[in-house]
Amino acid sequence: MRILVTGAGGMLGRDLVPVLSERHQVDGVDLDDFDLTAPGAVHQITSRRPEMVMHLAAMTNVDGCERDPERAMLVNGQGTRNAVEACRELGIPMLYISTDFVFDGTKSEPYREDDPVNPLGHYGRSKLAGEEAVRQLLREYYIVRTSWLFGPSGRNFVSSILNKARENGEVRVVDDQTGSPTYTADLAGALAELTESDKFGVYHLSNSGSCTWHGFASEAVRLAGIDARVVPIKSTEFQTPTRRPGYSVLGNYNWIGNFGRPLRDWREALADYVRLTEFTGGKQ
Ligand SMILES: NC(=O)c1ccc[n+]([C@@H]2O[C@H](COP(=O)([O-])OP(=O)(O)OC[C@H]3O[C@@H](n4cnc5c(N)ncnc54)[C@H](OP(=O)(O)O)[C@@H]3O)[C@@H](O)[C@H]2O)c1
């Protein structure tokens, strides 16, 4: 298959492209190639003649989206609509990456794929606008919601925590938000499998298990062998422009139903990540 991947230079894209390239002809594009919000974006995609689009590109700075909601909606809503238009013109499927932030976090058990959405902030709202464009205009699509990504190809929560723990000997991390960390390498493998299945629909894909950000940080610091205190704090003590869901664990029901197994536990994935990044120099 000829697969066009948007956001190919991002944290997930840089892990996904090599995995897909083992079996497909991959055309990875990013902001340097063209802006998905610009006039002509649809043509930029159709002229490349893909047989599938995997749409990863997004404005992912959650607080940045809160500060500039118009830009967030332009990139994540309209930019996605442009990519969707291209798929419609070509009559090809899209895989769209969405987020746990489409939920409001009021549940206390894992979110199902068909649970009602109710984003709390502009990032979630703009990603949901992307989902709506996909649903409205395409018959064949995968919408894959994932959460708490970490991987070797981008600055992420784990790399920031390890750097801070090393520098300061202490990190303060919120312990009243619960979710499921997801290793980009594991997600990339699952996405590759999904695209070859023709089992279209809405999926939740995250590593198994759940934790708070404090639990996540504590495990990372432990695995990296850093002697630092990881201090639990409340979200109210860590002011950010964005209201975040208190609980956003994604139940991977459709994935397990169709593919028969969950992704491995987040702790195992984190151990691999820490081994890999510590081996390549520790500081990220
Ligand atoms: N990170 C997470 O924890 C997380 C959680 C759930 C879902 N997701 C979703 O997963 C996907 C991948 O996330 P990620 O963390 O890999 O993101 P990322 O590292 O921020 O990569 C996103 C890429 O999109 C590009 N991009 C931004 N605006 C664009 C535009 N207007 N036109 C074309 N390209 C544009 C960016 O280019 P520049 O770098 O040059 O701006 C960047 O290379 C996103 O859709 C995100 O919403 C992420």
Side-chain angles (χ1 to χ4, degrees):
M1 235 189 323
R2 272 195 314 281
I3 304 180
L4 184 138
V5 178
T6 70
M11 177 165 61
L12 176 58
R14 283 166 68 181
D15 271 8
L16 179 63
V17 168
V19 172
L20 289 176
S21 301
E22 286 170 18
R23 295 171 51 84
H24 304 284
Q25 196 185 318
V26 181
D27 187 3
V29 294
D30 220 308
L31 200 49
D32 294 347
D33 301 292
F34 62 91
D35 185 334
L36 275 162
T37 67
V42 176
H43 178 71
Q44 284 282 357
I45 297 177
T46 53
S47 63
R48 289 170 154 83
R49 299 260 146 222
E51 293 162 294
M52 173 179 286
V53 170
M54 296 180 75
H55 178 45
L56 279 53
M59 180 169 170
T60 55
N61 177 340
V62 173
D63 291 334
C65 289
E66 214 52 36
R67 283 188 284 263
D68 191 349
E70 276 175 24
R71 175 94 200 135
M73 199 49 93
L74 179 68
V75 176
N76 297 343
Q78 186 56 44
T80 299
R81 190 164 279 272
N82 289 342
V84 166
E85 283 289 356
C87 291
R88 194 159 76 146
E89 255 179 53
L90 293 167
I92 61 169
M94 168 182 279
L95 183 147
Y96 171 62
I97 301 291
S98 188
T99 168
D100 56 330
F101 273 47
V102 297
F103 295 117
D104 60 15
T106 51
K107 269 188 94 174
S108 50
E109 57 189 57
Y111 277 92
R112 303 192 66 87
E113 291 82 353
D114 58 358
D115 270 333
V117 290
N118 182 30
L120 296 175
H122 289 288
Y123 170 68
R125 249 169 249 142
S126 64
K127 292 294 292 184
L128 182 59
E131 285 194 16
E132 282 158 1
V134 173
R135 260 194 264 261
Q136 282 163 10
L137 297 177
L138 297 177
R139 260 190 326 110
E140 296 186 331
Y141 61 80
Y142 309 92
I143 290 174
V144 178
R145 300 190 188 119
T146 188
S147 56
W148 296 24
L149 289 186
F150 64 99
S153 307
R155 245 181 80 83
N156 61 75
F157 174 77
V158 182
S159 60
S160 317
I161 288 291
L162 294 184
N163 289 342
K164 274 192 209 143
R166 258 190 209 96
E167 278 160 24
N168 307 333
E170 180 178 297
V171 273
R172 293 156 58 78
V173 193
V174 297
D175 78 341
D176 55 1
Q177 290 165 20
T178 299
S180 298
T182 308
Y183 188 28
T184 48
D186 292 351
L187 179 59
L191 293 177
E193 209 174 324
L194 195 56
T195 53
E196 292 177 15
S197 71
D198 287 347
K199 290 178 177 159
F200 299 111
V202 180
Y203 287 85
H204 288 172
L205 264 172
S206 54
N207 280 116
S208 301
S210 61
C211 56
T212 65
W213 288 110
H214 175 264
F216 192 16
S218 303
E219 184 65 0
V221 166
R222 187 189 72 77
L223 286 164
I226 302 168
D227 183 18
R229 263 166 37 93
V230 185
V231 181
I233 58 166
K234 299 288 161 220
S235 330
T236 46
E237 296 173 66
F238 186 71
Q239 290 297 333
T240 65
T242 313
R243 254 181 85 206
R244 291 170 158 79
Y247 179 92
S248 63
V249 177
L250 297 173
N252 292 200
Y253 301 106
N254 280 353
W255 168 261
I256 295 169
N258 280 314
F259 296 88
R261 58 173 201 292
L263 299 194
R264 64 183 165 160
D265 190 90
W266 67 269
R267 290 174 204 84
E268 236 182 276
L270 181 60
D272 272 3
Y273 168 84
V274 170
R275 253 194 306 275
L276 176 74
T277 51
E278 295 298 293
F279 179 71
T280 50
K283 241 182 150 19
Q284 298 144 47

